[in-house]
Amino acid sequence: MIKSKNLKTIVFFIGLSIAMSAYLALMGKSSNRATAVAMHDFTLNALSNWHHIADTLNIPLSNTKPDMLHPVVRKGFSALDLVIYGHEIVEPEYQKYYQELSMPQMIGQLFIPNDENGKLRYMVGGVQLLSIQAGKEDAAFFIDVPTQVINEASLLYDSIPISGGRDGSGVVRYDRLDDGRYVMGFFINQTNVDNRVAKYDG
């Protein structure tokens, strides 16, 4: 027969274990939500900054891929790189003019480590940012996104949980790659981008 003192100790540890499990689950949900919000906010800011740059320099919004901004921007760099690094990747003969325009730069708003091959990666909230697109639809794309983060993002911005793949509609679109990793896009409403861009003119 279990003594009363031992029973109280067992009950205490069971209660503590349940409380800790609930706390860790809550912390995990909070962390996933914070990551989703960070990804969304960075996407909105990056696309707004790209719109401002493109409008000011009269560049087609759709010119976001590497080498599309050459000869003003160094070869191999994209619109995303320009939004992040600003004048640092502009060719020397255009650099002074670009700096005088006080264009936005986002290098301090994300983490940029090297991968195992020495290539730079852009990390937002711990998730790797791949690229941006603009024009017909404005979006930023991320890779190797944890399913918990996709679920939180989907709940926050589309009011539905993750379910299989969704790459045709909604703010949060995602698909699973053959290697098991998820790629996810944040598609931003044009009005939200326009409202952010308006701050440069106001």
Side-chain angles (χ1 to χ4, degrees):
M1 191 169 186
I2 299 174
K3 292 184 178 177
S4 176
K5 188 175 180 182
N6 290 343
L7 184 60
K8 285 181 181 175
T9 302
I10 291 168
V11 169
F12 171 77
F13 280 110
I14 289 172
L16 182 63
S17 176
I18 291 170
M20 286 301 292
S21 295
Y23 174 76
L24 290 173
L26 186 62
M27 287 303 293
K29 183 173 177 62
S30 176
S31 173
N32 294 330
R33 180 172 286 249
T35 297
V37 170
M39 292 165 67
H40 175 271
D41 290 353
F42 185 91
T43 297
L44 180 55
N45 289 333
L47 288 166
S48 300
N49 290 346
W50 170 240
H51 274 252
H52 174 60
I53 293 167
D55 290 348
T56 303
L57 299 177
N58 200 25
I59 302 168
L61 281 172
S62 58
N63 286 14
T64 57
K65 293 181 181 173
D67 297 333
M68 283 187 161
L69 304 176
H70 186 74
V72 175
V73 174
R74 281 187 260 155
K75 278 203 161 196
F77 289 99
S78 67
L80 176 61
D81 299 310
L82 183 60
V83 165
I84 291 170
Y85 291 106
H87 68 274
E88 295 178 22
I89 62 167
V90 173
E91 291 286 11
E93 59 266 36
Y94 302 103
Q95 208 166 65
K96 187 171 184 286
Y97 172 71
Y98 190 89
Q99 282 180 283
E100 287 171 353
L101 293 172
S102 299
M103 292 296 191
Q105 186 182 38
M106 301 182 74
I107 196 164
Q109 298 178 38
L110 71 173
F111 180 52
I112 309 177
N114 289 323
D115 65 15
E116 57 277 1
N117 300 316
K119 188 177 178 184
L120 293 178
R121 292 183 300 159
Y122 299 143
M123 307 298 290
V124 178
V127 179
Q128 186 177 351
L129 171 64
L130 286 177
S131 63
I132 59 171
Q133 74 174 35
K136 188 177 177 184
E137 286 189 302
D138 286 12
F141 299 94
F142 300 82
I143 194 165
D144 208 6
V145 188
T147 53
Q148 301 92 327
V149 171
I150 297 173
N151 188 57
E152 284 301 317
S154 192
L155 288 169
L156 276 169
Y157 300 104
D158 289 320
S159 302
I160 53 175
I162 186 173
S163 176
R166 187 171 75 241
D167 61 3
S169 63
V171 173
V172 179
R173 304 180 196 177
Y174 50 89
D175 203 5
R176 194 170 191 175
L177 303 175
D178 290 341
D179 62 10
R181 295 181 300 163
Y182 276 92
V183 64
M184 185 185 108
F186 256 119
F187 286 75
I188 301 297
N189 183 296
Q190 186 66 50
T191 304
N192 292 339
V193 174
D194 290 341
N195 289 341
R196 288 289 178 99
V197 173
K199 74 181 180 183
Y200 294 112
D201 303 321

Short mmCIF file of all heavy atoms in Angstrom, two decimals, residues 12-42:
data_model
loop_
_atom_site.label_atom_id
_atom_site.label_comp_id
_atom_site.label_asym_id
_atom_site.label_seq_id
_atom_site.Cartn_x
_atom_site.Cartn_y
_atom_site.Cartn_z
N PHE A 12 2.18 15.18 -6.98
CA PHE A 12 2.87 16.45 -7.24
C PHE A 12 3.68 16.36 -8.54
O PHE A 12 3.61 17.24 -9.39
CB PHE A 12 3.78 16.81 -6.07
CG PHE A 12 4.70 17.98 -6.36
CD1 PHE A 12 4.20 19.27 -6.34
CD2 PHE A 12 6.03 17.77 -6.69
CE1 PHE A 12 5.03 20.34 -6.63
CE2 PHE A 12 6.86 18.84 -6.98
CZ PHE A 12 6.37 20.14 -6.95
N PHE A 13 4.45 15.27 -8.68
CA PHE A 13 5.29 15.13 -9.87
C PHE A 13 4.47 14.90 -11.14
O PHE A 13 4.83 15.38 -12.22
CB PHE A 13 6.33 14.02 -9.68
CG PHE A 13 7.52 14.47 -8.87
CD1 PHE A 13 7.73 14.00 -7.59
CD2 PHE A 13 8.41 15.41 -9.40
CE1 PHE A 13 8.82 14.44 -6.86
CE2 PHE A 13 9.50 15.85 -8.67
CZ PHE A 13 9.71 15.37 -7.39
N ILE A 14 3.37 14.21 -11.02
CA ILE A 14 2.47 14.04 -12.17
C ILE A 14 1.90 15.39 -12.58
O ILE A 14 1.88 15.75 -13.76
CB ILE A 14 1.34 13.02 -11.86
CG1 ILE A 14 1.92 11.60 -11.77
CG2 ILE A 14 0.25 13.08 -12.93
CD1 ILE A 14 0.93 10.57 -11.29
N GLY A 15 1.44 16.15 -11.58
CA GLY A 15 0.90 17.49 -11.85
C GLY A 15 1.95 18.41 -12.47
O GLY A 15 1.66 19.15 -13.42
N LEU A 16 3.18 18.33 -11.93
CA LEU A 16 4.28 19.15 -12.46
C LEU A 16 4.59 18.76 -13.91
O LEU A 16 4.80 19.62 -14.76
CB LEU A 16 5.52 18.98 -11.58
CG LEU A 16 6.74 19.81 -11.98
CD1 LEU A 16 6.44 21.29 -11.88
CD2 LEU A 16 7.93 19.45 -11.11
N SER A 17 4.59 17.47 -14.18
CA SER A 17 4.86 16.98 -15.53
C SER A 17 3.80 17.47 -16.51
O SER A 17 4.11 17.90 -17.62
CB SER A 17 4.91 15.45 -15.51
OG SER A 17 5.07 14.95 -16.81
N ILE A 18 2.53 17.41 -16.12
CA ILE A 18 1.43 17.87 -16.97
C ILE A 18 1.56 19.38 -17.22
O ILE A 18 1.41 19.86 -18.35
CB ILE A 18 0.06 17.53 -16.34
CG1 ILE A 18 -0.16 16.01 -16.37
CG2 ILE A 18 -1.07 18.26 -17.06
CD1 ILE A 18 -1.34 15.54 -15.56
N ALA A 19 1.86 20.12 -16.15
CA ALA A 19 2.01 21.58 -16.28
C ALA A 19 3.16 21.93 -17.20
O ALA A 19 3.05 22.84 -18.04
CB ALA A 19 2.21 22.21 -14.91
N MET A 20 4.29 21.22 -17.06
CA MET A 20 5.46 21.49 -17.92
C MET A 20 5.16 21.16 -19.37
O MET A 20 5.55 21.89 -20.28
CB MET A 20 6.67 20.69 -17.43
CG MET A 20 7.30 21.24 -16.16
SD MET A 20 7.87 22.95 -16.33
CE MET A 20 9.22 22.74 -17.46
N SER A 21 4.46 20.05 -19.59
CA SER A 21 4.09 19.67 -20.97
C SER A 21 3.20 20.73 -21.60
O SER A 21 3.39 21.11 -22.76
CB SER A 21 3.38 18.32 -20.97
OG SER A 21 4.25 17.31 -20.53
N ALA A 22 2.23 21.22 -20.83
CA ALA A 22 1.32 22.25 -21.34
C ALA A 22 2.08 23.54 -21.62
O ALA A 22 1.86 24.21 -22.63
CB ALA A 22 0.20 22.51 -20.33
N TYR A 23 3.01 23.88 -20.72
CA TYR A 23 3.82 25.10 -20.89
C TYR A 23 4.68 25.01 -22.15
O TYR A 23 4.74 25.95 -22.94
CB TYR A 23 4.70 25.30 -19.66
CG TYR A 23 5.68 26.44 -19.80
CD1 TYR A 23 5.26 27.76 -19.70
CD2 TYR A 23 7.02 26.19 -20.05
CE1 TYR A 23 6.14 28.81 -19.84
CE2 TYR A 23 7.93 27.24 -20.20
CZ TYR A 23 7.48 28.55 -20.09
OH TYR A 23 8.38 29.57 -20.23
N LEU A 24 5.33 23.85 -22.35
CA LEU A 24 6.18 23.67 -23.53
C LEU A 24 5.36 23.71 -24.82
O LEU A 24 5.80 24.29 -25.82
CB LEU A 24 6.96 22.36 -23.43
CG LEU A 24 8.07 22.33 -22.35
CD1 LEU A 24 8.64 20.93 -22.23
CD2 LEU A 24 9.16 23.33 -22.68
N ALA A 25 4.18 23.12 -24.78
CA ALA A 25 3.30 23.15 -25.95
C ALA A 25 2.88 24.58 -26.26
O ALA A 25 2.87 25.02 -27.42
CB ALA A 25 2.07 22.28 -25.72
N LEU A 26 2.55 25.35 -25.21
CA LEU A 26 2.16 26.75 -25.38
C LEU A 26 3.31 27.58 -25.91
O LEU A 26 3.14 28.41 -26.80
CB LEU A 26 1.67 27.31 -24.04
CG LEU A 26 1.10 28.73 -24.06
CD1 LEU A 26 -0.14 28.79 -24.95
CD2 LEU A 26 0.77 29.19 -22.66
N MET A 27 4.53 27.33 -25.37
CA MET A 27 5.70 28.05 -25.83
C MET A 27 6.01 27.73 -27.30
O MET A 27 6.38 28.61 -28.07
CB MET A 27 6.91 27.73 -24.95
CG MET A 27 6.85 28.35 -23.57
SD MET A 27 6.67 30.14 -23.61
CE MET A 27 8.24 30.62 -24.29
N GLY A 28 5.84 26.46 -27.67
CA GLY A 28 6.06 26.06 -29.06
C GLY A 28 5.09 26.76 -29.99
O GLY A 28 5.47 27.27 -31.04
N LYS A 29 3.82 26.82 -29.59
CA LYS A 29 2.80 27.50 -30.41
C LYS A 29 3.12 28.98 -30.52
O LYS A 29 3.03 29.57 -31.60
CB LYS A 29 1.41 27.29 -29.80
CG LYS A 29 0.29 27.89 -30.62
CD LYS A 29 -1.05 27.52 -30.05
CE LYS A 29 -2.19 28.17 -30.83
NZ LYS A 29 -2.27 27.77 -32.22
N SER A 30 3.53 29.59 -29.42
CA SER A 30 3.87 31.01 -29.41
C SER A 30 5.07 31.28 -30.31
O SER A 30 5.09 32.27 -31.06
CB SER A 30 4.17 31.44 -27.97
OG SER A 30 4.58 32.78 -27.95
N SER A 31 6.07 30.41 -30.26
CA SER A 31 7.26 30.56 -31.09
C SER A 31 6.92 30.42 -32.58
O SER A 31 7.40 31.19 -33.42
CB SER A 31 8.30 29.51 -30.69
OG SER A 31 9.39 29.53 -31.57
N ASN A 32 6.09 29.44 -32.92
CA ASN A 32 5.67 29.24 -34.31
C ASN A 32 4.87 30.43 -34.83
O ASN A 32 5.05 30.86 -35.97
CB ASN A 32 4.84 27.96 -34.44
CG ASN A 32 5.66 26.72 -34.16
OD1 ASN A 32 6.86 26.68 -34.41
ND2 ASN A 32 5.02 25.70 -33.63
N ARG A 33 4.03 30.98 -33.96
CA ARG A 33 3.24 32.15 -34.33
C ARG A 33 4.15 33.35 -34.56
O ARG A 33 3.99 34.10 -35.53
CB ARG A 33 2.22 32.45 -33.24
CG ARG A 33 1.33 33.66 -33.52
CD ARG A 33 0.23 33.76 -32.48
NE ARG A 33 -0.76 32.75 -32.69
CZ ARG A 33 -2.00 32.99 -33.10
NH1 ARG A 33 -2.39 34.21 -33.35
NH2 ARG A 33 -2.85 32.01 -33.27
N ALA A 34 5.13 33.54 -33.68
CA ALA A 34 6.08 34.66 -33.82
C ALA A 34 6.87 34.54 -35.12
O ALA A 34 7.12 35.54 -35.80
CB ALA A 34 7.01 34.70 -32.61
N THR A 35 7.27 33.31 -35.47
CA THR A 35 8.00 33.09 -36.73
C THR A 35 7.11 33.43 -37.92
O THR A 35 7.55 34.11 -38.86
CB THR A 35 8.48 31.63 -36.83
OG1 THR A 35 9.40 31.37 -35.76
CG2 THR A 35 9.16 31.35 -38.15
N ALA A 36 5.86 32.99 -37.89
CA ALA A 36 4.93 33.27 -38.99
C ALA A 36 4.72 34.77 -39.16
O ALA A 36 4.72 35.28 -40.29
CB ALA A 36 3.59 32.57 -38.74
N VAL A 37 4.57 35.48 -38.06
CA VAL A 37 4.37 36.94 -38.11
C VAL A 37 5.62 37.63 -38.65
O VAL A 37 5.54 38.55 -39.47
CB VAL A 37 3.97 37.49 -36.72
CG1 VAL A 37 4.01 39.01 -36.70
CG2 VAL A 37 2.59 36.99 -36.32
N ALA A 38 6.81 37.17 -38.19
CA ALA A 38 8.06 37.76 -38.67
C ALA A 38 8.21 37.56 -40.18
O ALA A 38 8.62 38.49 -40.90
CB ALA A 38 9.25 37.13 -37.93
N MET A 39 7.87 36.37 -40.67
CA MET A 39 7.95 36.09 -42.11
C MET A 39 6.99 36.98 -42.90
O MET A 39 7.34 37.54 -43.94
CB MET A 39 7.65 34.61 -42.37
CG MET A 39 8.71 33.66 -41.85
SD MET A 39 8.13 31.94 -41.77
CE MET A 39 7.94 31.55 -43.51
N HIS A 40 5.77 37.11 -42.39
CA HIS A 40 4.77 37.94 -43.07
C HIS A 40 5.20 39.40 -43.10
O HIS A 40 5.15 40.07 -44.14
CB HIS A 40 3.41 37.81 -42.36
CG HIS A 40 2.37 38.71 -42.92
ND1 HIS A 40 2.17 40.00 -42.47
CD2 HIS A 40 1.46 38.53 -43.93
CE1 HIS A 40 1.20 40.56 -43.15
NE2 HIS A 40 0.75 39.69 -44.04
N ASP A 41 5.65 39.93 -41.95
CA ASP A 41 6.03 41.34 -41.87
C ASP A 41 7.24 41.64 -42.74
O ASP A 41 7.30 42.68 -43.40
CB ASP A 41 6.29 41.73 -40.42
CG ASP A 41 5.01 41.78 -39.58
OD1 ASP A 41 3.91 41.63 -40.17
OD2 ASP A 41 5.11 41.94 -38.35
N PHE A 42 8.21 40.71 -42.75
CA PHE A 42 9.38 40.91 -43.60
C PHE A 42 8.97 40.91 -45.07
O PHE A 42 9.44 41.74 -45.86
CB PHE A 42 10.44 39.84 -43.36
CG PHE A 42 11.70 40.10 -44.14
CD1 PHE A 42 12.73 40.84 -43.58
CD2 PHE A 42 11.85 39.63 -45.44
CE1 PHE A 42 13.89 41.11 -44.31
CE2 PHE A 42 12.99 39.91 -46.18
CZ PHE A 42 14.01 40.64 -45.61
#
